Protein backbone atom coordinates (compact mmCIF):
# COMPACT_ATOMS: atom_id res chain seq x y z
CA UNK A 1 0.00 0.00 0.00
CA UNK A 2 1.55 3.25 -1.15
CA UNK A 3 -0.22 5.67 1.20
CA UNK A 4 0.82 9.29 0.81
CA UNK A 5 1.18 9.90 4.55
CA UNK A 6 2.32 6.48 5.78
CA UNK A 7 4.52 6.83 8.87
CA UNK A 8 3.41 10.41 9.61
CA UNK A 9 1.97 11.21 13.04
CA UNK A 10 -0.43 14.16 12.91
CA UNK A 11 -1.80 15.89 16.00
CA UNK A 12 -4.85 18.10 15.38
CA UNK A 13 -6.02 20.58 18.03
CA UNK A 14 -8.72 23.19 17.82
CA UNK A 15 -11.91 24.84 19.00
CA UNK A 16 -15.53 23.82 18.43
CA UNK A 17 -14.89 23.32 14.70
CA UNK A 18 -13.15 20.05 15.68
CA UNK A 19 -15.27 19.09 18.67
CA UNK A 20 -18.56 17.74 17.32
CA UNK A 21 -19.74 15.03 14.94
CA UNK A 22 -20.25 16.26 11.36
CA UNK A 23 -17.70 19.05 11.98
CA UNK A 24 -14.04 18.97 10.93
CA UNK A 25 -13.64 16.33 13.65
CA UNK A 26 -15.36 13.91 11.27
CA UNK A 27 -13.81 15.02 8.01
CA UNK A 28 -10.09 15.66 8.57
CA UNK A 29 -9.10 12.59 10.65
CA UNK A 30 -11.03 10.26 8.31
CA UNK A 31 -9.17 11.43 5.22
CA UNK A 32 -5.70 11.76 6.75
CA UNK A 33 -6.06 8.28 8.27
CA UNK A 34 -7.11 6.93 4.87
CA UNK A 35 -3.92 8.46 3.46
CA UNK A 36 -1.87 6.45 5.97
CA UNK A 37 -1.20 8.96 8.76
CA UNK A 38 -1.55 8.25 12.45
CA UNK A 39 -3.98 10.98 13.51
CA UNK A 40 -4.91 12.15 17.00
CA UNK A 41 -7.48 14.93 17.38
CA UNK A 42 -8.46 17.05 20.37
CA UNK A 43 -11.15 19.70 20.23
CA UNK A 44 -12.23 22.02 23.04
CA UNK A 45 -15.11 24.39 22.38
CA UNK A 46 -14.35 28.09 23.04
CA UNK A 47 -10.61 27.45 23.51
CA UNK A 48 -8.10 30.12 22.50
CA UNK A 49 -4.49 29.49 21.49
CA UNK A 50 -2.93 30.17 24.91
CA UNK A 51 -5.46 27.84 26.58
CA UNK A 52 -3.53 24.97 24.99
CA UNK A 53 -0.40 26.05 26.86
CA UNK A 54 -1.78 27.31 30.19
CA UNK A 55 -5.01 25.31 30.67
CA UNK A 56 -7.99 27.52 31.34
CA UNK A 57 -11.35 25.91 32.21
CA UNK A 58 -13.88 27.23 29.74
CA UNK A 59 -17.64 27.29 29.74
CA UNK A 60 -18.03 23.60 29.13
CA UNK A 61 -19.68 23.73 25.73
CA UNK A 62 -17.88 20.58 24.74
CA UNK A 63 -14.57 18.73 24.51
CA UNK A 64 -13.67 15.71 22.40
CA UNK A 65 -10.78 13.34 21.77
CA UNK A 66 -10.58 11.10 18.73
CA UNK A 67 -7.90 8.56 17.93
CA UNK A 68 -7.58 7.89 14.22
CA UNK A 69 -10.97 7.37 12.59
CA UNK A 70 -12.58 5.89 15.70
CA UNK A 71 -16.36 6.38 16.00
CA UNK A 72 -17.29 9.81 17.36
CA UNK A 73 -19.28 9.76 20.56
CA UNK A 74 -21.03 12.62 22.29
CA UNK A 75 -18.64 15.36 23.48
CA UNK A 76 -17.86 15.77 27.15
CA UNK A 77 -20.03 18.73 28.11
CA UNK A 78 -18.47 19.35 31.53
CA UNK A 79 -16.23 22.42 31.95
CA UNK A 80 -12.96 21.34 30.39
CA UNK A 81 -9.46 22.70 30.01
CA UNK A 82 -7.56 21.82 26.85
CA UNK A 83 -4.80 19.30 27.54
CA UNK A 84 -1.45 21.16 27.50
CA UNK A 85 0.18 20.95 24.08
CA UNK A 86 3.51 20.04 25.72
CA UNK A 87 1.90 16.96 27.31
CA UNK A 88 0.26 15.98 24.02
CA UNK A 89 3.57 16.29 22.19
CA UNK A 90 5.29 14.16 24.81
CA UNK A 91 2.56 11.53 24.57
CA UNK A 92 2.13 11.28 20.80
CA UNK A 93 5.46 12.53 19.37
CA UNK A 94 3.80 14.19 16.37
CA UNK A 95 5.71 14.91 13.18
CA UNK A 96 3.31 17.77 12.54
CA UNK A 97 0.68 19.69 14.51
CA UNK A 98 -2.41 21.13 12.84
CA UNK A 99 -4.03 24.03 14.72
CA UNK A 100 -7.64 24.94 13.88
CA UNK A 101 -8.16 28.23 15.72
CA UNK A 102 -9.22 31.81 15.07
CA UNK A 103 -12.93 32.40 15.61
CA UNK A 104 -12.57 32.30 19.40
CA UNK A 105 -10.01 35.12 19.31
CA UNK A 106 -11.76 37.40 16.80
CA UNK A 107 -13.80 39.42 19.34
CA UNK A 108 -16.96 39.13 17.27
CA UNK A 109 -19.58 41.59 18.44
CA UNK A 110 -16.94 43.98 19.79
CA UNK A 111 -15.78 47.17 18.10
CA UNK A 112 -12.18 46.08 17.71
CA UNK A 113 -9.96 43.05 18.05
CA UNK A 114 -6.76 43.55 20.07
CA UNK A 115 -3.76 42.83 17.85
CA UNK A 116 -1.49 42.70 20.91
CA UNK A 117 -3.73 40.17 22.65
CA UNK A 118 -3.96 37.98 19.55
CA UNK A 119 -0.18 38.21 19.15
CA UNK A 120 0.31 37.06 22.75
CA UNK A 121 -2.18 34.22 22.30
CA UNK A 122 -0.66 32.93 19.09
CA UNK A 123 2.98 33.31 20.11
CA UNK A 124 2.34 31.51 23.41
CA UNK A 125 1.28 28.46 21.41
CA UNK A 126 3.79 28.62 18.55
CA UNK A 127 6.67 29.11 20.99
CA UNK A 128 5.63 25.96 22.86
CA UNK A 129 5.22 23.99 19.63
CA UNK A 130 8.80 25.01 18.92
CA UNK A 131 10.54 23.24 16.05
CA UNK A 132 7.80 20.69 15.40
CA UNK A 133 6.28 21.24 11.96
CA UNK A 134 2.99 23.11 12.22
CA UNK A 135 0.07 24.06 9.96
CA UNK A 136 -2.41 26.66 11.21
CA UNK A 137 -5.92 26.62 9.73
CA UNK A 138 -7.59 30.00 10.05
CA UNK A 139 -11.36 30.50 10.24
CA UNK A 140 -13.62 30.76 7.24
CA UNK A 141 -16.75 32.80 6.58
CA UNK A 142 -19.94 32.61 8.60
CA UNK A 143 -23.27 34.36 8.79
CA UNK A 144 -24.29 37.23 11.02
CA UNK A 145 -26.36 36.31 14.07
CA UNK A 146 -26.92 38.35 17.26
CA UNK A 147 -25.60 35.42 19.31
CA UNK A 148 -22.03 35.70 18.06
CA UNK A 149 -21.92 38.83 15.90
CA UNK A 150 -19.60 37.32 13.30
CA UNK A 151 -19.26 39.48 10.20
CA UNK A 152 -17.40 39.00 6.95
CA UNK A 153 -15.40 42.14 7.67
CA UNK A 154 -14.12 40.85 11.03
CA UNK A 155 -13.51 37.37 9.65
CA UNK A 156 -11.34 38.87 6.92
CA UNK A 157 -9.55 41.07 9.45
CA UNK A 158 -8.83 38.07 11.67
CA UNK A 159 -7.61 36.04 8.71
CA UNK A 160 -5.10 38.75 7.81
CA UNK A 161 -4.02 39.15 11.42
CA UNK A 162 -3.33 35.43 11.81
CA UNK A 163 -1.43 35.42 8.54
CA UNK A 164 1.09 37.82 10.05
CA UNK A 165 1.25 36.09 13.45
CA UNK A 166 1.40 32.29 13.09
CA UNK A 167 4.94 31.91 11.74
CA UNK A 168 6.83 29.53 11.95
CA UNK A 169 3.59 27.60 11.36
CA UNK A 170 2.48 27.44 7.74
CA UNK A 171 -0.82 29.28 7.34
CA UNK A 172 -3.95 28.18 5.53
CA UNK A 173 -6.38 31.08 5.17
CA UNK A 174 -9.90 29.69 5.57
CA UNK A 175 -11.43 32.75 3.91
CA UNK A 176 -9.53 31.89 0.72
CA UNK A 177 -10.91 28.35 0.61
CA UNK A 178 -14.58 29.34 0.28
CA UNK A 179 -16.43 32.28 -1.23
CA UNK A 180 -18.06 34.88 1.06
CA UNK A 181 -21.71 34.03 1.50
CA UNK A 182 -21.21 30.37 0.57
CA UNK A 183 -21.06 29.02 4.13
CA UNK A 184 -24.36 27.93 5.64
CA UNK A 185 -24.36 27.87 9.43
CA UNK A 186 -26.60 26.71 12.26
CA UNK A 187 -25.88 29.73 14.48
CA UNK A 188 -23.68 32.19 12.60
CA UNK A 189 -20.35 30.48 13.33
CA UNK A 190 -20.81 26.70 13.26
CA UNK A 191 -21.40 25.38 9.76
CA UNK A 192 -24.01 22.92 8.64
CA UNK A 193 -22.75 19.42 7.94
CA UNK A 194 -22.75 20.13 4.20
CA UNK A 195 -20.72 23.35 4.57
CA UNK A 196 -18.27 21.64 6.94
CA UNK A 197 -17.79 18.99 4.24
CA UNK A 198 -16.94 21.63 1.63
CA UNK A 199 -14.58 23.44 4.01
CA UNK A 200 -12.99 20.19 5.15
CA UNK A 201 -12.43 19.01 1.59
CA UNK A 202 -10.77 22.32 0.74
CA UNK A 203 -8.51 22.04 3.79
CA UNK A 204 -7.54 18.50 2.80
CA UNK A 205 -6.81 19.49 -0.79
CA UNK A 206 -4.60 22.35 0.41
CA UNK A 207 -2.77 20.50 3.18
CA UNK A 208 -2.12 17.07 1.66
CA UNK A 209 0.85 18.32 -0.42
CA UNK A 210 2.18 20.15 2.68
CA UNK A 211 1.85 17.02 4.82
CA UNK A 212 3.39 14.85 2.12
CA UNK A 213 6.41 17.17 2.00
CA UNK A 214 6.75 17.08 5.83
CA UNK A 215 6.55 13.27 5.74
CA UNK A 216 9.26 13.10 3.09
CA UNK A 217 11.54 15.25 5.22
CA UNK A 218 10.88 13.42 8.52
CA UNK A 219 13.51 11.00 9.90
CA UNK A 220 10.96 8.19 10.09
CA UNK A 221 10.43 8.19 6.32
CA UNK A 222 14.12 7.66 5.76
CA UNK A 223 14.15 4.41 7.70
Amino acid sequence: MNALLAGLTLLIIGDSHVTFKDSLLSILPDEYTKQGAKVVTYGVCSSTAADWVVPNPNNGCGAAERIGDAPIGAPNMKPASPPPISALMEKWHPDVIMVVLGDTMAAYGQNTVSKDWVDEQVKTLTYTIGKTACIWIGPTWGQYSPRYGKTDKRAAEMAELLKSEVSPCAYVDGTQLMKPGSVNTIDGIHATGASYQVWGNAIIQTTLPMLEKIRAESPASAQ
Side-chain angles (χ1 to χ4, degrees):
M1 181 178 174
N2 187 23
L4 281 177
L5 304 181
L8 186 83
T9 299
L10 169 63
L11 171 62
I12 303 175
I13 65 169
D15 54 23
S16 53
H17 293 305
V18 288
T19 301
F20 303 99
K21 190 175 181 181
D22 298 325
S23 71
L24 299 179
L25 177 64
S26 298
I27 300 157
L28 302 185
D30 283 1
E31 182 59 31
Y32 296 137
T33 299
K34 190 192 299 183
Q35 295 294 341
K38 176 182 178 181
V39 186
V40 189
T41 309
Y42 292 85
V44 179
C45 177
S46 297
S47 59
T48 65
D51 291 344
W52 291 87
V53 178
V54 182
N56 174 35
N58 66 24
N59 62 12
C61 58
E65 173 186 339
R66 189 182 188 202
I67 310 298
D69 57 0
I72 300 172
N76 173 9
M77 302 303 285
K78 298 173 184 173
S81 299
I85 189 69
S86 55
L88 295 178
M89 292 168 69
E90 191 174 328
K91 180 176 183 178
W92 298 108
H93 305 287
D95 299 295
V96 57
I97 297 171
M98 183 173 289
V99 179
V100 184
L101 284 171
D103 274 331
T104 56
M105 298 180 289
Y108 296 131
Q110 298 179 31
N111 291 334
T112 59
V113 57
S114 169
K115 186 179 186 300
D116 290 344
W117 181 78
V118 171
D119 175 74
E120 183 182 2
Q121 286 281 325
V122 171
K123 293 294 190 285
T124 297
L125 181 55
T126 56
Y127 179 82
T128 308
I129 289 173
K131 294 183 178 179
T132 301
C134 171
I135 300 173
W136 194 299
I137 312 295
T140 191
W141 309 106
Q143 295 171 315
Y144 179 78
S145 77
R147 180 178 177 184
Y148 291 110
K150 182 171 182 174
T151 62
D152 285 354
K153 182 180 179 182
R154 181 57 58 83
E157 182 184 355
M158 190 63 189
E160 278 299 308
L161 191 50
L162 286 173
K163 184 177 182 179
S164 66
E165 297 288 353
V166 303
S167 179
C169 295
Y171 182 54
V172 175
D173 185 343
T175 64
Q176 297 298 310
L177 299 180
M178 301 177 77
K179 293 179 180 177
S182 69
V183 181
N184 292 315
T185 71
I186 57 174
D187 57 11
I189 285 187
H190 302 98
T192 60
S195 280
Y196 268 127
Q197 191 69 57
V198 175
W199 186 23
N201 289 345
I203 291 171
I204 289 161
Q205 190 175 5
T206 302
T207 57
L208 270 179
M210 301 163 76
L211 291 168
E212 193 179 1
K213 184 170 185 284
I214 292 167
R215 174 196 169 273
E217 293 171 352
S218 71
S221 68
Q223 294 176 4

